[in-house]
């Protein structure tokens, strides 16, 4: 599989349109599915830089930390989502 090439393509697309939250969200979800947790966190951070209360980005970041077995880092994002009454 050409996973690295596909992730590079996603990164290039985001670099061309850095304010496109939909593309950033897609890249973040793809990274979660591929267990590329640090990349997912970076994409989530990019989305949060554009929209600090972006529920999908918060959920992706929470999942990335949790799936990487870093529950201490995941917990603050889970609490933020709970406080927002998020459906993510």
């Amino acid at each position: 599989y050409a996973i690295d090439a596909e992730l590079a393509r996603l990164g290039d697309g985001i670099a061309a349109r850095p304010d496109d939250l939909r593309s950033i969200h897609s890249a973040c979800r793809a990274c979660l599915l591929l267990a590329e947790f640090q990349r997912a966190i970076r994409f989530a951070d990019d989305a949060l830089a554009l929209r600090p209360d972006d529920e999908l980005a918060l959920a992706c970041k929470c999942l990335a930390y949790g799936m990487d077995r870093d529950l201490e880092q995941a917990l603050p994002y889970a609490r933020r989502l709970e406080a927002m009454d998020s459906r993510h």
Side-chain angles (χ1 to χ4, degrees), residues 52-73:
D53 289 331
D54 183 334
E55 292 181 5
L56 186 56
L58 290 169
C60 285
K61 196 163 182 177
C62 181
L63 279 170
Y65 280 124
M67 292 170 72
D68 202 25
R69 295 186 172 97
D70 190 347
L71 300 181
E72 278 188 40
Q73 289 291 332

Side-chain angles (χ1 to χ4, degrees), residues 3 6 18 20 26-27 32 35 37 42-44 47 50 55 62-63 65-66 68 72 83 87:
I3 292 170
E6 184 62 23
D20 182 3
S26 292
L32 286 174
F37 304 125
R42 284 194 301 272
F43 284 125
L50 295 172
E55 292 181 5
C62 181
L63 279 170
Y65 280 124
D68 202 25
E72 278 188 40
R87 303 289 183 230

Side-chain angles (χ1 to χ4, degrees), residues 6 8-9 20-22 24 31 37 42 84 87-88:
E6 184 62 23
R9 186 189 67 75
D20 182 3
L21 279 175
R22 187 174 178 178
I24 296 170
C31 289
F37 304 125
R42 284 194 301 272
M84 298 167 105
R87 303 289 183 230
H88 290 288

Side-chain angles (χ1 to χ4, degrees), residues 38-49:
Q38 291 307 309
R39 285 184 185 180
I41 290 166
R42 284 194 301 272
F43 284 125
D45 285 338
D46 291 345
L48 290 168

